[in-house]
């Protein structure tokens, strides 16, 4: 079963005129300096950017190409970053179409995709068997965090289980701003990666379960620190699954007015000099949140915010989205190294972002090339500047 | 493809850069050309240097394998769709750029696209002043191979006019350099017509049938910053045509001139008018949209006044709406894609050049033919050189309706024949032009002799210029 209208999808795919603009366009006036991070960081065959992916998708759909794992590789070697959509001159959204193709063709074998979905359904996260451990960080913040309340901090699997520093920082910042907030006793996965990899039926089941748990907490507002959770909870739950979700805000959206009104005061930084902002695709291109994080960084006294060559709508991706990090880890890290080099080119000391997925991959990308740039989550940065 | 050949290719470029996978071959079976049948090649190879291209062509010659050079894959007339069993050589890894400021020239590898070069030159306040509507995807070498044109051509000509020399790998793998750089002691590219006949010209518009261009050297210019954008209205095509000719004759420096028939302009503005901020207006029967570009402001002032004088003298009036030419010019890297894709139709395109004095003839042939074949379409175009105007009628079809598509094909085929009779010329010999051409046997025979001499095995892009190939 799929939620996709196949005729509509085919009509949309037919809008691709195969111009190739989505490969490596440099369009200085609009800020593009290359488009597809996968094409740029792989051998460079046609199948490594959107034009080729669409041709493969059409051929798989109409039977010209056999539905094998190898033939479907190009559908998955894509971060769904949406840079192709940003520049495409035709009247359709190629990255969104590719996501739909993954759903329609999800009978094609793909062990990585299936394992992730299975783990999420079984364990409520894609990483560990014991989901309860994702709340362990709460013990280290020095104050109690209830499991119910009007403002819910939805931590997300990656911050909860892999980068707990971000979760702790967020708690400290919320506390400093005088916000009473809750963290679920046993938080589920939002299911983002299932949606992106085409396991939408499973994602729907997961979403219903997650929303039930959220509802039990009494939340009227959800704050997140993961761009993937944000897009999923804010957009996919309502638009795809018709679920009624409380207001969802990324912490950068939530904090900006608190900082501007003086409720949250930041002190001068002695160690941060030049800082650059990496736009997570799900926060920026997908939801148009570009200025809030920049305004926050500029509000830290002593910080010089510098922009990388590509930013905002034309920002190059970190490499970890769309399931690519699991599907082809080496490629994902290579893309991350490339992004780190963008930050090196402008002599940034720190690259800040607002997505644990980006942070995790960019850190690996920096290590891979021995870069000295510090990759940090914006919440970690703010928590150190609390007055 | 025979595994022995594949292994030889791998030995040249490495395993990662050769593919015979079905999905990859499928992606190379097509291009931006709409309404052309796809053809699967046997293998694809991505060389990184001229030497690797040379080694690959030696293998192709030894095993008599048809070869299709491919760059941006943005060509619109089926040129880059391979032959069955072909080896596609994807040239996008050839990415060097060398600027020679004192020589006012640049050399680019076959993988460099217009947008990339433009950004680099802009840093030095320079430009290559020809911008095809596909500048974000087309390579400069690919554009030389089709002798394309674009924004800027109204003043600077088709791309071929800017070429100073080429590095070419011949079908047998030999590497030659044309133009002043043929002298290994030359400081760089500075003169095309060096060392006798214009060998450079042989490869311009050649669609790759004589060899693979691995580097292109071109003239570059100081970037203009002073522009005048204006629209001029006329009651008849002839008045508009005279206006254009007189502007050129009086050394006005138009980097963009487009002549619009009223209904075509309405259609165009329906698509992008709002995007470009063009105000609502009762447009006259014929409108000329013109951008004058100059290095110095005093030159621009003088050109602006002269254009207005000529307009009135030829019976027209200055409309004064700047947003149309400004929108077109500012969006020059993408305008054609945007305006051609936004309406949702697919189309077959028919590039040709006419003289500005014959501008009305294409329109006169086109509309009745569209009615006759029951197809929809329109045309756009721009002044492309000293005395030529590049036209590109588009015949629309619904890609999901086979009958509609075959009507578009039939209309396209017939339009070529009729346009040839009006005196129109192609800038490259795409197959449908060869079909439509009569009365030119000696010329085509000479080309055929050249092809046989340079590519005796007929491996380079077979079928791309069918009329010049042997009988087999
Ligand atoms: C939206 C859109 C707008 C366009 N607007 C314009 C325009 O304004 N003006 C214009 O001129 N064209 C235009 N075109 C057509 C197209 O972009 C040009 O034909 C372009 O020059 C092709 O370059 P490419 O690198 O994509 O070449 P390809 O499509 O890869 O190849 C074109 C031809 O050249 C051969 N070839 C490619 N590279 C080499 C090489 N290095 N050596 C030898 N042969 C080679 C190929 O075999 C093929 O025959 C447009 C296309 C699109 C999609
Ligand atoms: S997805 Fe858009 S930009 Fe890419 S080839 Fe298709 S039409 Fe062109
Ligand atoms: S979504 Fe991003 S990674 Fe995927 S094809 Fe488009 S530009 Fe490339």
């Amino acid at each position: 079963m799929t939620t996709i209208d196949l005729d509509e999808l085919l009509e949309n795919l037919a809008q691709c005129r195969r111009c190739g603009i989505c490969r490596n366009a440099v369009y200085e006036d609009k800020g593009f300096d290359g488009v597809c991070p996968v094409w740029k960081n792989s051998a460079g065959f046609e199948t490594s950017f959107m034009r080729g992916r669409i041709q493969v998708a059409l051929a798989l759909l109409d039977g010209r190409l056999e539905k094998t794992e190898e033939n479907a590789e190009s559908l998955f070697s894509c971060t769904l970053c949406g840079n192709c959509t940003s520049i495409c001159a035709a009247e359709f959204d190629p990255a969104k179409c590719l996501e739909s193709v993954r759903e329609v063709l999800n009978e094609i074998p793909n062990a990585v995709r299936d394992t992730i979905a299975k783990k999420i359904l079984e364990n409520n996260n894609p990483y560990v068997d014991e989901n309860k451990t994702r709340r362990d960080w709460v013990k280290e913040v020095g104050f109690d965090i209830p499991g119910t309340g009007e403002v819910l901090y939805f931590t997300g699997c990656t911050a909860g289980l892999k980068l707990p520093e971000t979760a702790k920082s967020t708690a400290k910042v919320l506390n400093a701003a005088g916000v009473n907030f809750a963290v679920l006793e046993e938080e589920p996965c939002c299911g983002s990666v299932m949606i992106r990899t085409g396991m939408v039926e499973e994602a729907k089941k997961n979403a219903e379960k997650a929303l039930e748990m959220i509802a039990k907490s009494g939340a009227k507002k959800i704050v997140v620190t993961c761009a993937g959770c944000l897009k999923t909870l804010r957009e996919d739950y309502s638009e795809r699954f018709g679920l009624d979700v409380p207001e969802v805000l990324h912490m950068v959206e939530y904090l900006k007015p608190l900082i501007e009104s003086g409720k949250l005061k930041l002190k001068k930084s002695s160690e941060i000099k030049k800082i650059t902002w990496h736009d997570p695709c799900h926060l920026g291109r997908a939801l148009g949140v570009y200025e809030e994080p920049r305004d926050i960084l500029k509000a830290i006294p002593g910080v010089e915010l510098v922009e990388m060559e590509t930013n905002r709508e034309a920002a190059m991706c970190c490499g970890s989205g769309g399931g690519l990090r699991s599907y082809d880890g080496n490629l994902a890290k290579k893309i991350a190294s490339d992004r780190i080099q963008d930050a090196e080119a402008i002599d940034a000391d720190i690259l800040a972002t607002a997505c644990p997925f980006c942070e995790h991959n960019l850190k690996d990308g920096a290590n891979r090339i021995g870069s000295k740039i510090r990759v940090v989550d914006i919440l970690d940065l703010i928590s150190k500047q609390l007055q | 493809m025979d595994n022995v050949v594949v292994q030889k290719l791998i030995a040249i470029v490495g395993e990662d850069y050769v593919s015979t996978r079905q999905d990859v071959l499928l992606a190379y079976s097509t291009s931006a050309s709409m309404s052309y049948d796809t053809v699967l090649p046997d293998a694809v190879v991505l060389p990184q240097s001229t030497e690797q291209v040379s080694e690959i062509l030696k293998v192709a010659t030894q095993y008599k394998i048809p070869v299709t050079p491919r760059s941006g894959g943005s060509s619109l007339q089926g040129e880059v769709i391979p032959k069955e069993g072909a080896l596609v050589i994807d040239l996008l890894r050839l990415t060097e750029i060398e600027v020679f400021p004192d020589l006012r020239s640049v050399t680019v590898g076959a993988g460099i696209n217009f947008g990339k070069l433009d950004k680099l030159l802009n840093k030095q306040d320079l430009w290559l002043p020809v911008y095809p509507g596909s500048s974000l995807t087309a390579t400069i070498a690919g554009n030389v191979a089709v002798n394309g044109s674009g924004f800027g051509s109204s003043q600077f000509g088709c791309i071929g006019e800017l070429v100073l020399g080429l590095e070419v790998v011949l079908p047998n793998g030999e590497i030659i350099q044309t133009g002043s750089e043929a002298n290994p002691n030359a400081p760089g590219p500075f003169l095309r017509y060096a060392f006798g006949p214009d060998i450079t010209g042989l490869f311009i518009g050649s669609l790759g049938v004589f060899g693979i261009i691995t580097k292109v050297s071109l003239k570059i210019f100081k970037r203009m910053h002073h522009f005048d954008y204006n629209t001029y209205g006329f009651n008849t095509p002839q008045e508009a045509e005279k206006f254009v000719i007189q502007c050129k004759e009086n050394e006005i420096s138009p980097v963009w001139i487009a002549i619009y028939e009223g209904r075509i302009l309405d259609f165009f503005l329906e698509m992008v008018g709002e995007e470009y901020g063009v105000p609502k207006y009762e447009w006259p029967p014929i409108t000329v949209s013109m951008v004058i570009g100059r290095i110095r402001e005093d030159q621009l002032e003088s050109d602006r006044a002269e254009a207005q004088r000529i307009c009135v003298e030829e019976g027209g009036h200055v409309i004064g709406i700047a947003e149309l030419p400004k929108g077109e010019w500012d969006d020059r890297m993408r305008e054609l894609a945007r305006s051609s894709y936004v309406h949702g139709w697919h189309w077959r395109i028919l590039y040709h050049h006419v003289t500005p004095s014959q501008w009305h003839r294409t329109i006169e042939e086109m509309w009745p033919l569209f009615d006759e074949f029951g197809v929809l379409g329109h045309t756009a175009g721009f002044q492309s050189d000293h005395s030529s105007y590049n036209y590109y009628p588009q015949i629309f079809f619904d890609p999901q309706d086979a009958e509609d598509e075959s009507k578009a094909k039939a209309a396209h085929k017939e339009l070529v024949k009729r346009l040839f009779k009006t005196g129109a010329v192609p800038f490259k010999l795409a197959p449908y032009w060869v079909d439509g051409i009569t009365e030119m046997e000696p010329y085509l025979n000479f080309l055929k002799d050249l092809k046989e001499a340079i590519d005796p095995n007929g491996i380079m892009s077979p079928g791309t210029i069918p009329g010049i190939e042997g009988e087999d």
Side-chain angles (χ1 to χ4, degrees):
Chain A
M1 265 295 286
T2 158
T3 53
I4 304 292
D5 176 340
L6 191 58
D7 287 340
E8 194 185 324
L9 176 62
L10 288 172
E11 222 170 89
N12 273 321
L13 290 170
Q15 286 304 314
C16 171
R17 314 304 167 82
R18 305 184 294 269
C19 65
I21 288 176
C22 52
R23 177 187 52 233
N24 59 341
V26 177
Y27 191 5
E28 194 177 11
D29 284 355
K30 300 263 192 280
F32 288 92
D33 194 67
V35 179
C36 183
V38 172
W39 182 85
K40 189 175 176 206
N41 290 284
S42 57
F45 287 106
E46 274 283 322
T47 39
S48 63
F49 70 103
M50 192 49 90
R51 174 169 71 180
R53 298 185 206 289
I54 290 177
Q55 298 320 302
V56 169
L58 285 167
L60 288 167
L61 287 166
D62 69 17
R64 276 177 294 140
L65 207 53
E66 204 188 329
K67 294 187 176 75
T68 63
E69 192 161 358
E70 178 176 282
N71 282 340
E73 186 189 323
S74 60
L75 307 184
F76 290 95
S77 62
C78 162
T79 66
L80 297 178
C81 71
N83 216 15
C84 48
T85 299
S86 253
I87 201 163
C88 176
E91 293 286 282
F92 80 125
D93 179 337
K96 203 165 178 180
C97 281
L98 191 74
E99 198 175 289
S100 302
V101 170
R102 289 180 176 185
E103 180 183 344
V104 172
L105 293 176
N106 68 8
E107 88 261 28
I108 299 177
N110 180 325
V112 173
R113 172 199 64 198
D114 296 346
T115 310
I116 296 175
K118 187 164 168 275
K119 281 189 178 164
I120 294 175
L121 288 176
E122 281 173 3
N123 302 331
N124 276 331
N125 75 77
Y127 302 126
V128 297
D129 292 344
E130 198 39 78
N131 192 46
K132 276 206 160 74
T133 56
R134 71 192 290 153
R135 210 179 190 274
D136 286 355
W137 59 269
V138 170
K139 293 173 210 142
E140 295 169 37
V141 294
F143 53 89
D144 279 346
I145 303 177
T148 60
E150 290 196 355
V151 177
L152 177 71
Y153 171 34
F154 190 92
T155 325
C157 303
T158 310
L161 293 161
K162 295 212 154 180
L163 298 167
E165 281 311 311
T166 303
K168 285 189 258 175
S169 300
T170 307
K172 281 184 204 157
V173 172
L174 284 169
N175 198 41
V179 180
N180 292 319
F181 67 99
V183 170
L184 292 181
E185 289 300 341
E186 198 180 329
E187 189 183 85
C189 172
C190 71
S192 169
V193 67
M194 286 197 276
I195 300 175
R196 309 300 153 228
T197 56
M199 305 299 273
V200 178
E201 276 295 300
E202 292 75 359
K204 184 163 188 259
K205 268 188 236 152
N206 178 75
E208 283 159 355
K209 181 174 72 180
L211 195 60
E212 214 179 283
M213 292 159 92
I214 289 171
K216 275 189 196 148
S217 75
K220 295 216 169 75
K221 194 176 275 207
I222 304 172
V223 291
V224 297
T225 43
C226 171
C229 293
L230 179 73
K231 178 173 156 61
T232 306
L233 294 172
R234 184 190 281 179
E235 209 176 70
D236 294 299
Y237 274 31
S238 53
E239 284 176 19
R240 272 173 192 272
F241 305 140
L243 300 173
D244 200 6
V245 189
E247 186 187 14
V248 189
L249 292 173
H250 194 284
M251 277 294 286
V252 294
E253 297 170 289
Y254 188 70
L255 287 182
K256 191 188 157 196
L258 295 181
I259 292 172
E260 281 175 357
S261 67
K263 274 203 176 139
L264 192 68
K265 291 198 172 58
L266 303 178
K267 65 182 181 204
K268 190 167 166 29
S269 164
S270 52
E271 54 152 352
I272 309 169
K273 292 170 221 128
K274 254 180 160 180
I275 187 159
T276 191
W277 178 249
H278 168 75
D279 291 284
C281 303
H282 281 159
L283 188 67
R285 265 189 294 270
L287 297 170
V289 180
Y290 296 116
E291 300 314 320
E292 290 85 344
R294 288 178 168 82
D295 289 343
I296 292 176
L297 291 174
K298 283 188 270 182
I300 303 176
V303 159
E304 183 195 352
L305 178 66
V306 283
E307 294 290 353
M308 285 184 273
E309 185 74 25
T310 65
N311 56 69
R312 298 181 172 83
E313 288 86 355
M316 290 303 270
C317 163
C318 76
S320 68
L324 187 71
R325 167 116 186 162
S326 309
Y327 191 68
D328 187 345
N330 283 337
L331 175 58
K333 286 173 209 162
K334 213 169 157 206
I335 294 173
S337 302
D338 197 29
R339 188 60 174 155
I340 292 290
Q341 274 160 352
D342 288 349
E344 282 189 334
I346 51 162
D347 291 328
D349 304 307
I350 290 180
L351 180 151
T353 189
C355 175
F357 242 64
C358 297
E359 182 191 346
H360 193 47
N361 201 45
L362 287 166
K363 276 182 169 152
D364 282 349
N367 287 338
R368 201 178 147 268
I369 54 169
S371 170
K372 296 215 160 48
I373 290 200
R374 271 176 56 209
V375 177
V376 297
D377 190 284
I378 188 165
L379 268 304
D380 292 331
L381 215 56
I382 299 169
S383 76
K384 291 203 174 68
Q385 306 309 131
L386 294 174
Q387 277 192 5
Chain B
M1 183 168 291
D2 194 327
N3 193 39
V4 176
V5 178
V6 174
Q7 291 311 316
K8 289 201 172 192
L9 295 174
I10 289 175
I12 297 167
V13 296
E15 201 165 7
D16 289 349
Y17 299 100
V18 180
S19 185
T20 55
R21 279 174 52 155
Q22 281 307 299
D23 57 330
V24 174
L25 300 182
L26 183 118
Y28 283 91
S29 70
T30 185
S31 69
S33 305
M34 288 179 246
S35 183
Y36 286 85
D37 294 337
T38 57
V39 182
L40 284 182
D42 264 13
V44 181
V45 59
L46 278 80
Q48 197 184 17
S49 63
T50 302
E51 290 65 34
Q52 288 186 354
V53 174
S54 158
E55 291 306 310
I56 293 165
L57 283 187
K58 282 179 191 161
V59 172
T61 292
Q62 187 188 347
Y63 292 90
K64 300 203 174 24
I65 296 167
V67 163
T68 301
R70 175 174 174 122
S71 305
S74 72
S75 46
L76 293 168
Q77 313 188 66
E79 307 94 313
V80 80
I81 295 177
K83 278 284 127 309
E84 220 165 289
L87 171 66
V88 173
I89 306 184
D90 182 324
L91 297 156
L92 292 180
R93 292 177 73 215
L94 302 179
T95 52
E96 324 88 292
I97 303 182
E98 190 175 359
V99 181
F100 302 88
D102 293 344
L103 309 184
R104 305 180 64 217
S105 62
V106 66
T107 300
V108 296
I112 294 296
N113 63 39
F114 285 86
K116 172 103 184 159
L117 179 64
D118 191 57
K119 182 168 177 179
L120 185 127
L121 292 178
N122 192 19
K123 287 196 172 68
Q124 302 173 45
D125 207 21
L126 299 167
W127 67 356
L128 174 70
V130 170
Y131 296 85
S134 50
S135 288
L136 300 177
T137 167
T139 63
I140 292 147
N143 203 245
V144 169
V146 305
N147 191 26
S149 53
F151 287 83
S153 290
S154 303
Q155 176 65 10
F156 294 93
C158 297
I159 194 78
E161 300 304 316
L162 302 183
V163 176
L164 286 168
L166 299 171
E167 181 188 77
V168 179
V169 181
L170 298 174
N172 63 7
E174 252 169 55
I175 303 168
I176 61 159
Q177 174 67 54
T178 71
S180 53
E181 291 162 285
N183 176 354
N185 305 304
F190 64 94
L191 184 69
R192 166 157 158 194
Y193 301 95
F195 303 108
D198 177 26
I199 300 299
T200 307
L202 184 63
F203 298 95
I204 296 175
S206 71
L207 300 175
V209 302
F210 295 126
I212 294 185
I213 301 165
T214 42
K215 282 184 194 156
V216 186
S217 296
L218 307 111
K219 298 174 192 169
I220 50 175
F221 298 80
K222 185 167 173 177
R223 209 173 179 95
M224 290 173 176
H225 294 292
H226 298 287
F227 296 101
D228 178 69
Y229 309 95
N230 216 332
T231 37
Y232 310 82
F234 301 92
N235 286 322
T236 65
Q238 286 73 14
E239 287 171 2
E241 291 166 357
K242 278 199 188 131
F243 168 69
V244 170
I245 295 165
Q246 283 307 311
C247 283
K248 291 289 287 178
E249 187 69 1
N250 287 282
E251 297 283 325
I252 287 171
S253 166
V255 287
W256 173 251
I257 303 179
I259 311 176
Y260 287 102
E261 199 192 20
R263 57 180 147 169
I264 293 177
L265 184 57
D266 287 345
F267 180 65
F268 180 74
L269 290 176
E270 230 174 77
M271 295 182 290
V272 291
E274 217 177 284
E275 215 166 300
Y276 294 164
V278 182
K280 292 265 173 276
Y281 184 71
E282 276 294 318
W283 296 92
I286 309 287
T287 299
V288 174
S289 169
M290 180 157 81
V291 181
I292 304 170
R294 281 293 192 184
I295 293 292
R296 295 201 319 263
E297 206 164 356
D298 60 321
Q299 296 170 314
L300 186 73
E301 276 310 315
S302 153
D303 278 5
R304 187 195 332 250
E306 183 65 356
Q308 298 192 358
R309 185 194 65 77
I310 295 170
C311 171
V312 175
E313 191 173 282
E314 297 302 340
H317 64 283
V318 178
I319 297 174
I321 293 180
E323 288 83 353
L324 170 61
K326 186 166 190 320
E328 292 173 300
W329 178 256
D330 287 351
D331 202 22
R332 62 191 177 279
M333 297 231 194
R334 207 179 70 129
E335 181 267 346
L336 208 138
R338 188 74 196 127
S339 61
S340 309
Y341 293 169
V342 70
H343 52 66
W345 292 91
H346 280 221
W347 31 262
R348 236 177 125 85
I349 199 163
L350 210 169
Y351 279 111
H352 63 281
H353 289 283
V354 297
T355 69
S357 59
Q358 290 273 83
W359 176 85
H360 60 285
R361 290 292 292 116
T362 288
I363 301 263
E364 282 172 5
E365 292 297 336
M366 190 185 82
W367 293 123
L369 182 133
F370 284 2
D371 288 344
E372 211 177 295
F373 282 77
V375 292
L376 293 173
H378 79 132
T379 185
F382 53 85
Q383 177 79 9
S384 52
D385 204 346
H386 185 70
S387 197
S388 67
Y389 190 91
N390 176 355
Y391 249 131
Y392 34 102
Q394 297 178 355
I395 303 174
F396 298 155
F397 63 91
D398 174 351
Q400 285 162 325
D401 180 343
E403 202 188 320
D404 205 31
E405 185 171 343
S406 73
K407 269 200 287 185
K409 275 187 185 169
H412 187 267
K413 202 172 159 76
E414 181 58 25
L415 187 56
V416 175
K417 292 185 187 149
R418 296 191 194 173
L419 289 175
F420 186 71
K421 294 287 180 199
T422 70
V425 299
F427 40 101
K428 58 186 169 189
L429 276 166
Y432 60 81
W433 268 106
V434 178
D435 292 346
I437 287 174
T438 51
E439 314 153 55
M440 279 184 52
E441 283 75 15
Y443 178 86
L444 288 174
N445 285 337
F446 178 60
L447 271 187
K448 197 165 162 179
D449 291 344
L450 284 175
K451 172 75 175 168
E452 271 164 21
I454 297 168
D455 183 17
N457 298 308
I459 62 164
M460 292 305 305
S461 302
T464 308
I465 308 185
I468 65 160
E469 279 167 18
E471 297 314 312
D472 56 313

